[in-house]
Amino acid sequence: MHKIMFVCLGNICRSPMAEYLFKDMVKKAGREKEFDVASSAVSSENVWNGVGAPVYGHTKALLNNLGISCDDKRAQVLTKEDGEYYDLILCMDDSNVRRAKNIVGTSNADKCKKLLSYANDSGDVADPWYTRDFQAAYKDIMRGLEGLLNSMD
Ligand code: 4NP
């Protein structure tokens, strides 16, 4: 079983997009049973009194247009225990990687890398919360996810 945690700043745009696109991709490849996939945030901005925000409207619409539902998703913060459980903690940008390493601690820091490293790209998935370009985030995330799935044959 490959245990994969996608991570971004708020867990309402990029990492839920990666989580649900990857779940869809592995399902279409008939490989659902091989993966345990989740997503989380390095900040607690979108969790109030333990209750996480739903996926942001533009991300939800993008997924819905592809026939993918994310209605059950609520934002959650990455924990030290997640660092023990998951094999890979795939982050959207350098800042996420730094903060994720801080959360999981030195023993699991090597699990934290950027998603685009699987597309042989040292760049970041730009945050659509700020750029408003959800299509650009989608294209970057898909490149990373395709490389990730191919690396797990
Ligand atoms: P995400 O985008 O990290 O891709 O989920 C953001 C969502 C919310 C905020 C920042 C980035 N925020 O400041 O609330």
Side-chain angles (χ1 to χ4, degrees), residues 76-123:
Q76 60 182 33
V77 181
L78 179 70
T79 65
K80 192 166 172 50
E81 292 70 35
D82 290 330
E84 297 288 338
Y85 178 76
Y86 289 93
D87 305 317
L88 285 173
I89 298 167
L90 299 181
C91 302
M92 300 299 142
D93 60 38
D94 284 315
S95 165
N96 299 161
V97 173
R98 275 193 302 276
R99 294 177 69 170
K101 284 182 174 179
N102 254 333
I103 291 170
V104 303
T106 46
S107 52
N108 290 305
D110 289 349
K111 295 178 178 179
C112 305
K113 8 180 175 178
K114 286 203 286 188
L115 174 61
L116 280 178
S117 66
Y118 285 89
N120 295 317
D121 183 340
S122 62

Side-chain angles (χ1 to χ4, degrees), residues 11-75:
N11 194 212
I12 59 170
C13 294
R14 293 166 296 172
S15 62
M17 197 188 288
E19 175 187 349
Y20 284 87
L21 288 172
F22 195 63
K23 283 177 171 168
D24 185 62
M25 206 180 269
V26 299
K27 190 174 175 186
K28 284 177 176 151
R31 299 181 60 186
E32 261 176 308
K33 290 198 175 78
E34 296 173 42
F35 293 90
D36 186 356
V37 183
S39 68
S40 59
V42 290
S43 89
S44 56
E45 285 164 79
N46 297 299
V47 182
W48 305 280
N49 298 322
V51 181
V55 175
Y56 187 64
H58 287 65
T59 300
K60 183 171 148 58
L62 186 149
L63 290 169
N64 288 170
N65 280 337
L66 296 166
I68 301 169
S69 167
C70 57
D71 290 346
D72 55 346
K73 175 63 185 170
R74 293 292 178 274

